[in-house]
Amino acid sequence: MEHEQDGVLVLAGTPIGDVADAPPRLSAELAAADVVAAEDTRRLRRLTAALGVEVSGRVVSYFEGNEASRTAELVRALVDGQRVLLVTDAGMPSVSDPGYRLVEAAVAEGVRVTAVPGPSAVLTALALSGLPVDRFCFEGFLPRKPGERAARLAEVAAEPRTMVFFESPRRLGVSLAAMAEAFGADRRAAVCRELTKTYEEVRRGPLAELAAWAEDGVLGEITVVVAGAPPADPADVGPEELAALVARREAAGQHRKEAIAEVAAELGLPKRDVFDAVVAAKKR
């Protein structure tokens, strides 16, 4: 239950590139907040200068390194009736950025949480990708370690929805190559670079082609959009492929029984057929 006498936590979207994309309410909230929690206070100063806004409230940093300790401080301010504005370097707080921990704590205290909608790299890249947008999922950043990255990709290899990833420009080529191996070299994808900025670029093509393009390095903020897995025709899936589908899920941490049930459900096959294929593969 929310307490009327308590403060309000405001999550504010900030421009992902062009400062002209700042939502109109952002300036008003920056000026009115009792506390502004910023992922990078230097970037906040540049943003407020560009918007011509003077922040009268207290400014504190709120980033991965101090998120745990500062959350309690901000919740106390909220419970004391203050208006706390949370901004990250770009886009919406909590989406692969600091914020979730504070929202969770504020909700637990019954504090009202609201948002100033703003630019989103996820939705912008999705719209520009040229891939289906009726159903999609956001996968954030892939793990840095090769084994963990391969396991994560194996986990979503059969995902039918369009997938959106964030990636570092330094790891883009390696990640695209890993996607090509896990999803197939011909799976359609789009690499969206420097969205809304001067050198915005959207490169579309098969994963293998994009991996070759990125091999020598790419600069800028990167969002990758990958088409979902095409529906499988059960008649075209042999025992070895069934066993491989189960093995991928097991590698991602699923129990074999659950993996067998999921593969059977996705292909419309009896669970016994999938189980027999797994047993036969083990014997081989």
Side-chain angles (χ1 to χ4, degrees), residues 77-155:
L78 289 164
V79 172
D80 287 342
Q82 296 186 51
R83 191 174 189 87
V84 176
L85 178 70
L86 176 61
V87 293
T88 52
D89 291 347
M92 181 60 68
S94 291
V95 182
S96 279
D97 274 331
Y100 167 74
R101 187 172 289 170
L102 180 56
V103 172
E104 181 184 38
V107 169
E109 288 291 335
V111 173
R112 181 183 169 217
V113 181
T114 187
V116 177
S120 165
V122 175
L123 296 180
T124 303
L126 185 69
L128 295 178
S129 68
L131 298 172
V133 298
D134 54 332
R135 298 180 67 207
F136 69 93
C137 58
F138 175 58
E139 291 295 325
F141 285 94
L142 289 170
R144 297 184 182 187
K145 295 182 179 178
E148 294 177 3
R149 180 169 55 235
R152 175 75 61 80
L153 292 173
E155 185 180 341

Side-chain angles (χ1 to χ4, degrees), residues 13-132:
T14 55
I16 59 176
D18 191 337
V19 73
D21 293 333
R25 273 182 56 208
L26 178 59
S27 294
E29 290 288 353
L30 284 165
D34 298 301
V35 182
V36 178
E39 184 177 10
D40 186 326
T41 57
R42 292 166 300 181
R43 287 201 181 194
L44 173 65
R45 284 195 293 270
R46 290 197 291 270
L47 176 62
T48 55
L51 295 176
V53 177
E54 184 175 343
V55 176
S56 59
R58 182 164 58 98
V59 175
V60 299
S61 63
Y62 190 75
F63 61 100
E64 186 178 359
N66 71 355
E67 193 174 359
S69 59
R70 183 136 285 166
T71 291
E73 174 189 333
L74 294 175
V75 170
R76 284 195 298 271
L78 289 164
V79 172
D80 287 342
Q82 296 186 51
R83 191 174 189 87
V84 176
L85 178 70
L86 176 61
V87 293
T88 52
D89 291 347
M92 181 60 68
S94 291
V95 182
S96 279
D97 274 331
Y100 167 74
R101 187 172 289 170
L102 180 56
V103 172
E104 181 184 38
V107 169
E109 288 291 335
V111 173
R112 181 183 169 217
V113 181
T114 187
V116 177
S120 165
V122 175
L123 296 180
T124 303
L126 185 69
L128 295 178
S129 68
L131 298 172

